[in-house]
Amino acid sequence: TMRPETMEIRFHALAFGGEAVGKDPEGRAVFCLYAAPMERSRVRLVERHKTWARAALERVLAPGPDRVEPRCRHFGSCGGCLWQHVSYACQLAAKKAIVEGAIRRIGIELEGPPPTDSPFGARRRVRMVARVGRLGYFGFRSHKFVAVEECPAMEPRLWEALRGAAPKRDGEVSALSGSNGVQILGAGLDRGESVDLAEPGEPAFRVPADAFAQASASGDRALRATVLEWAGRGTGAGSGPGGASEAAAVSAPPATFRILELFTGAGNFTRLLARDGAAVVAVEREPRAVEWLRKNAPSAEIDARDASAAVKAFQEAGRRFDAIVLDPPRGGCANLLADLAALAPARIVYVSCDPMTLARDLLALASLGYRTERLRAFDLMPQTPHVECVALLLPAAGAGPIA
Protein backbone atom coordinates (compact mmCIF):
# COMPACT_ATOMS: atom_id res chain seq x y z
CA THR A 1 0.00 0.00 0.00
CA MET A 2 1.12 3.53 -0.75
CA ARG A 3 1.85 5.83 2.15
CA PRO A 4 -0.04 9.11 1.96
CA GLU A 5 2.39 11.65 0.59
CA THR A 6 1.82 15.39 0.56
CA MET A 7 3.81 17.82 -1.53
CA GLU A 8 3.69 21.36 -2.82
CA ILE A 9 2.93 21.75 -6.51
CA ARG A 10 2.77 24.80 -8.74
CA PHE A 11 0.05 24.25 -11.36
CA HIS A 12 0.39 25.72 -14.84
CA ALA A 13 -2.70 24.68 -16.85
CA LEU A 14 -6.09 23.00 -16.96
CA ALA A 15 -5.95 19.64 -18.73
CA PHE A 16 -8.29 17.72 -21.05
CA GLY A 17 -9.95 15.70 -18.27
CA GLY A 18 -10.76 18.80 -16.22
CA GLU A 19 -7.95 18.61 -13.68
CA ALA A 20 -5.19 21.16 -13.22
CA VAL A 21 -1.73 19.93 -14.16
CA GLY A 22 1.63 20.74 -12.58
CA LYS A 23 5.02 19.10 -12.21
CA ASP A 24 6.50 17.39 -9.15
CA PRO A 25 10.22 17.76 -8.27
CA GLU A 26 11.04 14.68 -10.41
CA GLY A 27 9.35 16.25 -13.44
CA ARG A 28 6.34 13.92 -13.31
CA ALA A 29 2.99 15.45 -14.31
CA VAL A 30 0.61 15.78 -11.37
CA PHE A 31 -3.12 16.07 -12.07
CA CYS A 32 -5.36 17.57 -9.42
CA LEU A 33 -9.06 18.40 -9.47
CA TYR A 34 -10.13 21.87 -8.23
CA ALA A 35 -6.62 23.33 -8.40
CA ALA A 36 -6.18 26.33 -10.73
CA PRO A 37 -3.46 27.51 -13.13
CA MET A 38 -0.54 29.57 -11.78
CA GLU A 39 -1.15 28.69 -8.16
CA ARG A 40 0.82 26.86 -5.51
CA SER A 41 -1.01 24.23 -3.50
CA ARG A 42 -0.41 21.47 -1.04
CA VAL A 43 -1.72 18.20 -2.47
CA ARG A 44 -1.94 14.57 -1.37
CA LEU A 45 -0.89 11.93 -3.88
CA VAL A 46 -3.64 9.35 -4.44
CA GLU A 47 -2.40 7.54 -7.55
CA ARG A 48 1.16 7.11 -8.84
CA HIS A 49 2.41 6.05 -12.27
CA LYS A 50 5.78 6.22 -14.01
CA THR A 51 5.28 9.53 -15.79
CA TRP A 52 2.29 11.00 -13.97
CA ALA A 53 0.39 11.05 -10.71
CA ARG A 54 -3.05 12.03 -9.49
CA ALA A 55 -3.47 14.12 -6.35
CA ALA A 56 -6.20 15.51 -4.11
CA LEU A 57 -6.13 19.20 -3.21
CA GLU A 58 -5.35 19.73 0.49
CA ARG A 59 -4.82 23.49 0.62
CA VAL A 60 -4.28 26.41 -1.74
CA LEU A 61 -1.13 28.19 -0.56
CA ALA A 62 -0.93 30.97 -3.17
CA PRO A 63 -4.12 31.36 -5.26
CA GLY A 64 -3.76 31.83 -9.01
CA PRO A 65 -5.02 34.99 -10.75
CA ASP A 66 -7.96 33.10 -12.34
CA ARG A 67 -9.39 31.61 -9.16
CA VAL A 68 -12.95 32.79 -8.41
CA GLU A 69 -15.61 31.98 -5.84
CA PRO A 70 -17.78 29.09 -7.16
CA ARG A 71 -21.38 30.11 -7.84
CA CYS A 72 -22.94 26.85 -6.59
CA ARG A 73 -22.91 25.56 -3.02
CA HIS A 74 -22.57 21.94 -4.26
CA PHE A 75 -19.43 22.64 -6.29
CA GLY A 76 -16.64 20.33 -5.16
CA SER A 77 -18.89 17.42 -4.21
CA CYS A 78 -21.25 17.32 -7.24
CA GLY A 79 -19.52 15.96 -10.35
CA GLY A 80 -21.61 18.05 -12.76
CA CYS A 81 -19.32 21.10 -12.99
CA LEU A 82 -15.54 20.95 -12.60
CA TRP A 83 -14.45 24.50 -13.43
CA GLN A 84 -16.61 26.90 -11.38
CA HIS A 85 -13.50 27.79 -9.37
CA VAL A 86 -11.85 29.57 -12.32
CA SER A 87 -12.96 32.61 -14.34
CA TYR A 88 -14.86 32.11 -17.57
CA ALA A 89 -12.00 33.69 -19.57
CA CYS A 90 -9.66 31.10 -18.06
CA GLN A 91 -12.05 28.27 -19.01
CA LEU A 92 -12.20 29.46 -22.63
CA ALA A 93 -8.42 29.82 -22.86
CA ALA A 94 -8.02 26.30 -21.44
CA LYS A 95 -10.45 24.83 -24.00
CA LYS A 96 -8.57 26.58 -26.80
CA ALA A 97 -5.23 25.28 -25.51
CA ILE A 98 -6.59 21.72 -25.12
CA VAL A 99 -7.81 21.63 -28.72
CA GLU A 100 -4.61 23.26 -30.00
CA GLY A 101 -2.54 20.68 -28.15
CA ALA A 102 -4.57 17.87 -29.71
CA ILE A 103 -4.36 19.21 -33.29
CA ARG A 104 -0.72 20.35 -33.27
CA ARG A 105 0.22 17.87 -36.01
CA ILE A 106 -2.67 18.94 -38.27
CA GLY A 107 -1.10 22.35 -38.88
CA ILE A 108 -4.30 24.40 -38.91
CA GLU A 109 -5.20 27.56 -37.02
CA LEU A 110 -8.05 27.02 -34.57
CA GLU A 111 -10.95 29.50 -34.66
CA GLY A 112 -12.73 30.20 -31.35
CA PRO A 113 -14.16 29.17 -29.05
CA PRO A 114 -16.24 32.37 -28.94
CA PRO A 115 -17.46 33.25 -25.44
CA THR A 116 -21.05 32.39 -24.67
CA ASP A 117 -23.24 35.24 -23.43
CA SER A 118 -24.39 33.07 -20.51
CA PRO A 119 -21.72 31.07 -18.64
CA PHE A 120 -24.48 30.17 -16.14
CA GLY A 121 -28.19 29.49 -16.50
CA ALA A 122 -27.95 28.15 -20.06
CA ARG A 123 -28.21 24.36 -19.77
CA ARG A 124 -31.49 23.23 -21.34
CA ARG A 125 -30.86 19.49 -21.06
CA VAL A 126 -29.83 17.50 -17.98
CA ARG A 127 -29.55 13.92 -16.84
CA MET A 128 -29.85 13.62 -13.08
CA VAL A 129 -29.62 10.79 -10.58
CA ALA A 130 -32.81 9.98 -8.65
CA ARG A 131 -33.10 8.55 -5.18
CA VAL A 132 -36.55 8.16 -3.62
CA GLY A 133 -37.67 11.69 -2.76
CA ARG A 134 -34.43 13.35 -3.91
CA LEU A 135 -32.72 14.50 -7.10
CA GLY A 136 -29.01 15.01 -7.56
CA TYR A 137 -25.85 14.02 -9.37
CA PHE A 138 -22.97 11.63 -8.84
CA GLY A 139 -19.64 12.93 -7.62
CA PHE A 140 -16.77 13.19 -10.13
CA ARG A 141 -15.62 9.69 -11.21
CA SER A 142 -17.70 8.17 -8.41
CA HIS A 143 -21.08 6.67 -7.65
CA LYS A 144 -21.57 8.69 -4.51
CA PHE A 145 -24.99 10.36 -4.71
CA VAL A 146 -25.04 14.13 -4.08
CA ALA A 147 -28.53 15.57 -3.54
CA VAL A 148 -28.74 19.13 -4.91
CA GLU A 149 -30.82 22.07 -3.76
CA GLU A 150 -29.68 24.39 -6.52
CA CYS A 151 -28.13 24.14 -9.98
CA PRO A 152 -27.10 27.52 -11.41
CA ALA A 153 -25.86 25.84 -14.62
CA MET A 154 -29.46 25.14 -15.68
CA GLU A 155 -31.90 27.42 -17.46
CA PRO A 156 -33.99 28.86 -14.59
CA ARG A 157 -37.17 27.42 -16.14
CA LEU A 158 -35.67 23.92 -16.22
CA TRP A 159 -34.56 24.13 -12.59
CA GLU A 160 -38.02 25.44 -11.57
CA ALA A 161 -39.60 22.36 -13.15
CA LEU A 162 -37.21 20.00 -11.37
CA ARG A 163 -36.81 21.76 -8.04
CA GLY A 164 -39.81 20.38 -6.23
CA ALA A 165 -39.65 16.95 -7.86
CA ALA A 166 -39.82 13.95 -5.52
CA PRO A 167 -38.76 10.82 -7.44
CA LYS A 168 -40.88 7.77 -6.64
CA ARG A 169 -37.98 5.36 -7.18
CA ASP A 170 -34.23 5.23 -7.68
CA GLY A 171 -33.03 5.67 -11.24
CA GLU A 172 -32.13 8.30 -13.80
CA VAL A 173 -34.11 11.41 -14.69
CA SER A 174 -33.81 13.22 -18.03
CA ALA A 175 -35.17 16.73 -18.50
CA LEU A 176 -35.24 19.04 -21.50
CA SER A 177 -36.54 22.57 -21.95
CA GLY A 178 -37.76 24.03 -25.28
CA SER A 179 -40.18 26.59 -26.69
CA ASN A 180 -43.24 24.55 -25.68
CA GLY A 181 -42.19 23.86 -22.08
CA VAL A 182 -40.24 21.24 -20.15
CA GLN A 183 -40.40 17.46 -20.40
CA ILE A 184 -39.22 15.24 -17.52
CA LEU A 185 -38.78 11.48 -17.92
CA GLY A 186 -37.75 8.75 -15.47
CA ALA A 187 -38.05 7.64 -11.83
CA GLY A 188 -41.84 7.99 -11.91
CA LEU A 189 -41.67 11.74 -12.63
CA ASP A 190 -42.86 11.64 -16.26
CA ARG A 191 -44.54 14.87 -17.31
CA GLY A 192 -44.82 17.05 -20.41
CA GLU A 193 -44.62 16.13 -24.08
CA SER A 194 -41.67 15.99 -26.48
CA VAL A 195 -39.90 19.32 -26.60
CA ASP A 196 -39.65 21.66 -29.60
CA LEU A 197 -36.08 22.96 -29.93
CA ALA A 198 -36.59 24.86 -33.20
CA GLU A 199 -35.70 28.54 -33.45
CA PRO A 200 -38.50 30.96 -34.39
CA GLY A 201 -39.14 30.66 -38.13
CA GLU A 202 -37.72 27.13 -38.40
CA PRO A 203 -39.78 23.98 -38.93
CA ALA A 204 -40.50 22.20 -35.62
CA PHE A 205 -37.69 20.09 -34.16
CA ARG A 206 -39.23 17.70 -31.67
CA VAL A 207 -37.05 15.71 -29.29
CA PRO A 208 -37.95 13.66 -26.19
CA ALA A 209 -36.08 14.51 -22.97
CA ASP A 210 -34.12 11.24 -22.98
CA ALA A 211 -32.78 11.65 -26.53
CA PHE A 212 -29.60 13.54 -27.38
CA ALA A 213 -29.78 17.32 -27.77
CA GLN A 214 -26.99 19.88 -27.42
CA ALA A 215 -26.97 21.30 -23.89
CA SER A 216 -27.07 24.99 -24.78
CA ALA A 217 -29.50 26.70 -27.17
CA SER A 218 -27.18 29.60 -28.10
CA GLY A 219 -24.20 27.28 -28.53
CA ASP A 220 -26.25 24.91 -30.65
CA ARG A 221 -27.35 27.84 -32.85
CA ALA A 222 -23.72 28.81 -33.54
CA LEU A 223 -22.76 25.17 -34.15
CA ARG A 224 -25.62 24.64 -36.64
CA ALA A 225 -24.80 27.84 -38.53
CA THR A 226 -21.19 26.69 -39.00
CA VAL A 227 -22.18 23.18 -40.07
CA LEU A 228 -24.67 24.52 -42.64
CA GLU A 229 -22.25 27.10 -44.00
CA TRP A 230 -19.34 24.67 -44.30
CA ALA A 231 -21.56 22.00 -45.87
CA GLY A 232 -22.44 24.52 -48.60
CA ARG A 233 -25.97 25.06 -47.27
CA GLY A 234 -25.55 28.43 -45.56
CA THR A 235 -28.50 30.82 -45.16
CA GLY A 236 -30.60 30.82 -48.27
CA ALA A 237 -28.42 28.30 -50.10
CA GLY A 238 -30.12 27.07 -53.22
CA SER A 239 -32.61 29.93 -53.60
CA GLY A 240 -31.72 32.48 -56.24
CA PRO A 241 -32.84 36.13 -56.25
CA GLY A 242 -36.61 36.53 -56.60
CA GLY A 243 -38.13 34.61 -59.47
CA ALA A 244 -34.89 34.22 -61.42
CA SER A 245 -34.18 30.77 -60.01
CA GLU A 246 -37.73 29.68 -60.78
CA ALA A 247 -37.53 30.82 -64.39
CA ALA A 248 -34.20 29.05 -64.82
CA ALA A 249 -35.63 25.89 -63.27
CA VAL A 250 -38.23 25.63 -66.01
CA SER A 251 -35.65 25.43 -68.80
CA ALA A 252 -32.92 23.53 -66.95
CA PRO A 253 -33.54 21.91 -63.56
CA PRO A 254 -30.53 22.69 -61.36
CA ALA A 255 -28.46 19.71 -60.26
CA THR A 256 -29.71 18.64 -56.83
CA PHE A 257 -27.22 19.18 -54.01
CA ARG A 258 -26.55 15.74 -52.47
CA ILE A 259 -25.61 15.38 -48.81
CA LEU A 260 -24.78 12.28 -46.80
CA GLU A 261 -25.18 12.78 -43.06
CA LEU A 262 -23.89 10.16 -40.61
CA PHE A 263 -24.84 9.77 -36.91
CA THR A 264 -27.80 12.14 -37.34
CA GLY A 265 -29.59 11.51 -34.05
CA ALA A 266 -33.07 13.06 -34.11
CA GLY A 267 -32.11 15.36 -37.00
CA ASN A 268 -30.72 18.60 -35.52
CA PHE A 269 -28.66 19.25 -38.67
CA THR A 270 -30.69 17.04 -41.06
CA ARG A 271 -33.87 19.15 -40.97
CA LEU A 272 -31.88 22.26 -42.02
CA LEU A 273 -29.54 20.55 -44.50
CA ALA A 274 -32.65 19.22 -46.27
CA ARG A 275 -34.18 22.67 -46.77
CA ASP A 276 -34.28 24.24 -50.24
CA GLY A 277 -34.60 20.90 -51.96
CA ALA A 278 -31.22 19.35 -51.14
CA ALA A 279 -31.27 15.53 -51.28
CA VAL A 280 -30.14 14.28 -47.87
CA VAL A 281 -29.35 10.69 -46.98
CA ALA A 282 -29.53 10.43 -43.18
CA VAL A 283 -27.80 7.48 -41.50
CA GLU A 284 -28.80 6.65 -37.91
CA ARG A 285 -29.18 3.19 -36.40
CA GLU A 286 -30.70 3.93 -32.99
CA PRO A 287 -34.41 3.03 -33.45
CA ARG A 288 -35.83 5.76 -31.22
CA ALA A 289 -33.69 8.45 -32.86
CA VAL A 290 -34.87 7.20 -36.28
CA GLU A 291 -38.50 7.54 -35.16
CA TRP A 292 -37.95 11.27 -34.36
CA LEU A 293 -35.72 11.78 -37.39
CA ARG A 294 -38.66 10.75 -39.64
CA LYS A 295 -40.84 13.43 -38.03
CA ASN A 296 -38.16 16.15 -38.03
CA ALA A 297 -36.75 15.59 -41.53
CA PRO A 298 -39.58 14.04 -43.57
CA SER A 299 -37.84 14.69 -46.91
CA ALA A 300 -34.61 12.88 -45.98
CA GLU A 301 -33.84 9.38 -47.21
CA ILE A 302 -33.30 7.51 -43.93
CA ASP A 303 -30.85 4.63 -43.68
CA ALA A 304 -31.06 2.76 -40.36
CA ARG A 305 -27.86 0.76 -40.84
CA ASP A 306 -24.66 1.08 -38.88
CA ALA A 307 -22.70 4.04 -40.32
CA SER A 308 -19.70 1.98 -41.47
CA ALA A 309 -21.97 -0.57 -43.21
CA ALA A 310 -23.92 2.23 -44.93
CA VAL A 311 -20.78 4.04 -46.12
CA LYS A 312 -19.31 0.79 -47.47
CA ALA A 313 -22.55 0.00 -49.33
CA PHE A 314 -22.76 3.52 -50.86
CA GLN A 315 -19.15 3.29 -51.95
CA GLU A 316 -19.71 -0.12 -53.59
CA ALA A 317 -22.88 1.16 -55.29
CA GLY A 318 -20.94 4.13 -56.70
CA ARG A 319 -23.17 6.75 -55.06
CA ARG A 320 -21.90 10.32 -55.11
CA PHE A 321 -22.34 13.15 -52.60
CA ASP A 322 -21.44 16.83 -52.77
CA ALA A 323 -20.97 17.00 -49.01
CA ILE A 324 -20.68 14.54 -46.14
CA VAL A 325 -21.57 15.70 -42.62
CA LEU A 326 -20.75 13.50 -39.64
CA ASP A 327 -21.15 13.84 -35.88
CA PRO A 328 -19.81 10.57 -34.44
CA PRO A 329 -19.82 9.58 -30.76
CA ARG A 330 -16.88 10.43 -28.50
CA GLY A 331 -14.75 7.57 -29.85
CA GLY A 332 -14.74 9.01 -33.38
CA CYS A 333 -15.09 6.75 -36.41
CA ALA A 334 -11.68 5.45 -37.51
CA ASN A 335 -13.27 2.30 -38.98
CA LEU A 336 -15.18 4.08 -41.76
CA LEU A 337 -12.79 6.83 -42.89
CA ALA A 338 -11.22 4.94 -45.81
CA ASP A 339 -14.64 4.16 -47.32
CA LEU A 340 -15.76 7.74 -46.59
CA ALA A 341 -12.81 9.22 -48.50
CA ALA A 342 -13.43 6.76 -51.35
CA LEU A 343 -16.87 8.36 -51.83
CA ALA A 344 -14.87 11.42 -52.96
CA PRO A 345 -17.18 14.19 -51.67
CA ALA A 346 -16.32 17.81 -52.53
CA ARG A 347 -16.31 18.58 -48.79
CA ILE A 348 -16.47 16.81 -45.44
CA VAL A 349 -17.81 18.50 -42.29
CA TYR A 350 -16.79 16.63 -39.12
CA VAL A 351 -18.45 17.56 -35.80
CA SER A 352 -16.70 16.24 -32.69
CA CYS A 353 -17.03 16.35 -28.92
CA ASP A 354 -13.55 14.89 -28.32
CA PRO A 355 -10.50 16.79 -29.63
CA MET A 356 -8.22 13.74 -29.21
CA THR A 357 -10.22 11.35 -31.40
CA LEU A 358 -10.93 14.24 -33.82
CA ALA A 359 -7.18 14.86 -34.25
CA ARG A 360 -6.59 11.14 -34.85
CA ASP A 361 -9.34 11.02 -37.50
CA LEU A 362 -8.20 14.25 -39.21
CA LEU A 363 -4.67 12.82 -39.53
CA ALA A 364 -6.14 9.63 -41.01
CA LEU A 365 -8.20 11.66 -43.49
CA ALA A 366 -5.07 13.62 -44.47
CA SER A 367 -3.41 10.34 -45.45
CA LEU A 368 -6.58 9.54 -47.47
CA GLY A 369 -6.42 12.76 -49.49
CA TYR A 370 -8.48 15.24 -47.41
CA ARG A 371 -6.84 18.27 -45.84
CA THR A 372 -8.32 20.19 -42.93
CA GLU A 373 -9.21 23.61 -44.30
CA ARG A 374 -10.88 25.13 -41.21
CA LEU A 375 -11.40 24.17 -37.60
CA ARG A 376 -13.64 25.96 -35.12
CA ALA A 377 -14.28 25.27 -31.43
CA PHE A 378 -17.46 25.95 -29.45
CA ASP A 379 -18.18 26.15 -25.75
CA LEU A 380 -21.52 24.40 -25.36
CA MET A 381 -21.00 23.50 -21.70
CA PRO A 382 -19.46 26.30 -19.64
CA GLN A 383 -18.10 25.34 -16.17
CA THR A 384 -17.03 21.94 -17.60
CA PRO A 385 -14.02 20.83 -19.68
CA HIS A 386 -16.27 19.80 -22.62
CA VAL A 387 -15.45 21.42 -25.95
CA GLU A 388 -17.16 20.86 -29.29
CA CYS A 389 -15.31 21.25 -32.62
CA VAL A 390 -16.26 21.43 -36.28
CA ALA A 391 -13.73 20.71 -39.03
CA LEU A 392 -14.10 21.41 -42.76
CA LEU A 393 -12.06 19.09 -45.00
CA LEU A 394 -11.49 19.50 -48.71
CA PRO A 395 -9.73 17.25 -51.26
CA ALA A 396 -5.99 17.86 -50.85
CA ALA A 397 -5.61 18.50 -54.58
CA GLY A 398 -7.76 21.60 -54.08
CA ALA A 399 -9.08 23.33 -57.18
CA GLY A 400 -6.36 22.26 -59.55
CA PRO A 401 -2.56 22.72 -59.42
CA ILE A 402 -1.21 25.18 -56.89
CA ALA A 403 0.45 28.08 -58.69
Side-chain angles (χ1 to χ4, degrees):
T1 58
M2 201 184 89
R3 66 184 189 285
E5 192 183 328
T6 62
M7 53 171 64
E8 272 186 32
I9 299 283
R10 186 180 163 80
F11 292 93
H12 57 263
L14 290 168
F16 176 56
E19 294 151 304
V21 60
K23 288 264 201 299
D24 75 2
E26 280 93 71
R28 179 193 302 153
V30 177
F31 295 93
C32 182
L33 205 56
Y34 309 128
M38 315 318 280
E39 72 182 19
R40 202 162 45 81
S41 297
R42 182 174 305 123
V43 303
R44 186 180 77 257
L45 288 190
V46 292
E47 212 184 299
R48 248 192 306 204
H49 304 266
K50 217 185 208 98
T51 57
W52 64 279
R54 184 161 273 134
L57 185 64
E58 297 255 290
R59 189 156 154 247
V60 176
L61 303 171
D66 296 303
R67 182 172 280 280
V68 297
E69 203 50 50
R71 174 90 60 104
C72 176
R73 74 182 101 156
H74 303 295
F75 180 74
S77 54
C78 166
C81 294
L82 299 181
W83 282 0
Q84 283 193 27
H85 65 302
V86 293
S87 71
Y88 184 55
C90 172
Q91 297 178 32
L92 275 187
K95 292 186 189 201
K96 189 174 182 71
I98 285 164
V99 178
E100 285 176 339
I103 61 152
R104 199 165 285 127
R105 289 173 56 202
I106 314 282
I108 180 92
E109 193 176 337
L110 177 68
E111 304 168 31
T116 168
D117 45 7
S118 40
F120 283 96
R123 278 205 73 139
R124 64 178 179 186
R125 176 183 75 98
V126 289
R127 271 206 311 270
M128 299 186 77
V129 183
R131 294 290 178 260
V132 175
R134 297 187 304 163
L135 268 182
Y137 295 99
F138 284 135
F140 180 64
R141 291 203 184 117
S142 94
H143 281 273
K144 182 174 180 286
F145 174 75
V146 180
V148 297
E149 270 123 58
E150 66 170 334
C151 183
M154 281 188 214
E155 280 185 2
R157 181 171 69 159
L158 183 58
W159 175 245
E160 282 308 309
L162 286 163
R163 189 169 62 170
K168 297 175 178 55
R169 53 179 179 270
D170 292 1
E172 192 175 78
V173 169
S174 300
L176 180 64
S177 151
S179 60
N180 60 328
V182 172
Q183 185 183 41
I184 303 173
L185 294 175
L189 294 177
D190 296 15
R191 54 157 275 203
E193 51 174 3
S194 68
V195 172
D196 186 3
L197 298 181
E199 299 283 325
E202 284 180 357
F205 175 47
R206 298 301 281 260
V207 182
D210 54 356
F212 178 77
Q214 292 291 0
S216 135
S218 63
D220 190 31
R221 191 180 309 131
L223 183 69
R224 283 197 314 264
T226 296
V227 169
L228 289 177
E229 182 197 333
W230 290 2
R233 309 301 295 161
T235 21
S239 50
S245 60
E246 250 167 81
V250 178
S251 55
T256 303
F257 196 85
R258 296 156 307 175
I259 301 172
L260 171 61
E261 189 192 353
L262 307 172
F263 311 101
T264 63
N268 188 25
F269 302 134
T270 324
R271 65 200 169 99
L272 302 172
L273 290 167
R275 281 194 313 202
D276 305 321
V280 179
V281 177
V283 179
E284 173 56 62
R285 71 163 182 201
E286 209 272 301
R288 284 203 55 234
V290 169
E291 191 188 315
W292 291 96
L293 179 60
R294 284 189 205 288
K295 298 181 176 124
N296 291 320
S299 70
E301 174 192 330
I302 295 171
D303 189 312
R305 282 180 290 194
D306 173 77
S308 56
V311 169
K312 193 177 262 330
F314 294 146
Q315 199 247 310
E316 284 165 1
R319 287 194 69 168
R320 285 281 169 260
F321 300 96
D322 298 294
I324 298 181
V325 176
L326 63 157
D327 185 0
R330 192 165 297 287
C333 55
N335 61 333
L336 58 74
L337 297 175
D339 287 321
L340 190 77
L343 286 169
R347 52 181 71 207
I348 296 171
V349 180
Y350 188 141
V351 184
S352 163
C353 61
D354 185 319
M356 306 301 161
T357 58
L358 173 65
R360 178 202 69 201
D361 287 352
L362 293 181
L363 282 171
L365 283 164
S367 71
L368 293 163
Y370 279 85
R371 71 166 196 277
T372 304
E373 179 72 14
R374 294 183 70 179
L375 183 63
R376 191 176 284 168
F378 297 89
D379 183 18
L380 273 68
M381 288 175 140
Q383 317 308 326
T384 80
H386 293 280
V387 58
E388 197 85 10
C389 292
V390 184
L392 169 64
L393 298 102
L394 301 178
I402 292 157

